[in-house]
Amino acid sequence: MKITIKTSKVNFSMPVPLSMAGFAVKSVPEAVFREMRRKVPAPYDQLVNRETVMLYFNECRDVFAANKGLEILHVEGHDGTYISVKL
């Protein structure tokens, strides 16, 4: 994965290995999952937890690897700010 941020003052690009993305999910505090759970309707709120997110991530890892170069986030602001996340 590659994260690119460009502004008038900053030109930042950083490669992030998929294994590090899994580490990031494991590092999210439980309070964040509780907050997300409160915003999800009743029958589905039980699916908002670290274990389920890691299961989805691990199941989709081969899809991520097969689609290298796919841009999953592309934002351009009026002031010239540019943010991109590519697999």
Side-chain angles (χ1 to χ4, degrees), residues 40-48:
V40 175
Y44 305 108
D45 62 346
Q46 299 300 316
L47 296 174
V48 180

Side-chain angles (χ1 to χ4, degrees), residues 6-83:
K6 294 179 184 177
T7 65
S8 59
K9 298 178 183 178
V10 176
N11 189 1
F12 176 76
S13 181
M14 181 174 82
V16 179
L18 283 177
S19 60
M20 195 166 193
F23 176 73
V25 171
K26 291 178 185 178
S27 301
V28 173
E30 188 59 36
V32 173
F33 287 106
R34 279 195 302 268
E35 183 67 27
M36 286 189 292
R37 216 174 285 127
R38 289 186 327 140
K39 297 178 182 181
V40 175
Y44 305 108
D45 62 346
Q46 299 300 316
L47 296 174
V48 180
N49 57 43
R50 180 176 287 113
E51 292 78 24
T52 305
V53 173
M54 282 304 299
L55 175 69
Y56 294 152
F57 177 74
N58 288 332
E59 289 296 321
C60 294
R61 185 175 282 179
D62 58 338
V63 175
F64 296 152
N67 291 295
K68 281 190 171 186
L70 177 67
E71 189 169 32
I72 57 176
L73 178 69
H74 180 96
V75 179
E76 290 186 35
H78 293 292
D79 60 349
T81 302
Y82 170 81
I83 300 173

